[in-house]
Amino acid sequence: MKQLNEFLIPFIGLKLGKHQFDYQINKAFFDFFEYDDFESSDIKVSVVLEKKSTMLELNFKHKGTVHVPCDLTNEMFDMPIKGKLKLIVQFGEVFNDDNDELLILPHGEHQIDVSQTIYEMIVLSIPLKRIHPGIKEGTLDTEALKKLKELSVTETKIAHKEEENIDPRWDKLKQLLTDK
């Protein structure tokens, strides 16, 4: 599997204790994973690695914005996202990442690749329904919304069309319902 070298953390030479790593995530990072749900991104990721004698604890935090289309109007906007994740790394006979919160590395490993974890953490923090903040506030003004308002059906238009299109034969049928 391909790896992003900047996301490899060599833990073998680190002293016991906490160590912080900061990353700036942009569109190129998501292109590596072939993820194209948004146009661009500006996300800061902070990883705090706490090295203990028998295991590693990694605390991930991210905060930033992604440029996504609105699900209702298809207008592009910057959606703020944030999140955090905790990962425990232990050592064993074989590599095992079946558990979301526990990663088992073989005894001979000297570095950990955090790119997949960062990718999953960010993608899972993006809401399923993306609504432009201007819609909630009522301030969004786009060509699509103008056209929808222009083409919307109002009650006066409906009443006017009903008056024009009434066939006199229907009046006799309506009287049958009201004569009961």
Side-chain angles (χ1 to χ4, degrees):
M1 183 178 161
K2 299 185 296 183
Q3 292 181 335
L4 294 169
N5 289 335
E6 66 183 278
F7 295 97
L8 292 174
I9 299 176
F11 57 82
I12 199 75
L14 298 175
K15 295 180 181 179
L16 295 179
K18 293 185 178 186
H19 307 277
Q20 181 158 349
F21 302 90
D22 295 317
Y23 301 101
Q24 185 67 35
I25 306 297
N26 55 23
K27 180 70 171 131
F29 176 79
F30 293 102
D31 289 342
F32 177 79
F33 289 99
E34 299 176 359
Y35 185 78
D36 58 357
D37 271 14
F38 43 81
E39 298 293 316
S40 63
S41 64
D42 181 26
I43 304 167
K44 290 184 170 86
V45 176
S46 172
V47 180
V48 176
L49 182 142
E50 185 176 354
K51 185 175 180 182
K52 299 182 178 179
S53 58
T54 59
M55 68 177 182
L56 305 169
E57 283 186 21
L58 291 118
N59 289 305
F60 297 85
K61 286 185 182 179
H62 74 280
K63 186 175 185 176
T65 60
V66 291
H67 197 66
V68 295
C70 174
D71 289 339
L72 300 176
T73 63
N74 212 26
E75 289 291 315
M76 299 301 288
F77 72 102
D78 288 330
M79 173 180 275
I81 60 167
K82 65 179 180 177
K84 58 185 175 179
L85 177 76
K86 185 173 183 176
L87 180 69
I88 296 176
V89 180
Q90 292 185 336
F91 300 95
E93 296 298 318
V94 293
F95 179 84
N96 186 348
D97 63 349
D98 292 343
N99 192 332
D100 294 338
E101 298 170 356
L102 177 66
L103 175 67
I104 298 176
L105 292 177
H107 286 292
E109 283 292 320
H110 62 279
Q111 63 186 6
I112 183 170
D113 183 11
V114 294
S115 62
Q116 181 71 32
T117 307
I118 291 172
Y119 165 74
E120 290 173 2
M121 174 183 65
I122 292 172
V123 169
L124 292 174
S125 70
I126 299 172
L128 290 176
K129 192 165 187 176
R130 305 169 195 158
I131 299 175
H132 195 289
I135 291 176
K136 294 176 185 173
E137 300 165 0
T139 59
L140 184 64
D141 190 31
T142 65
E143 291 298 319
L145 288 175
K146 287 178 186 176
K147 193 66 174 174
L148 282 173
K149 285 179 185 175
E150 180 184 312
L151 297 174
S152 67
V153 178
T154 60
E155 289 188 28
T156 57
K157 287 181 183 177
I158 293 172
H160 183 63
K161 283 188 177 184
E162 284 180 0
E163 290 175 7
E164 291 177 4
N165 297 332
I166 295 178
D167 187 355
R169 292 176 285 184
W170 289 107
D171 289 336
K172 290 290 184 185
L173 291 172
K174 286 181 184 176
Q175 285 179 356
L176 291 174
L177 289 174
T178 57
D179 287 343
K180 291 183 181 180

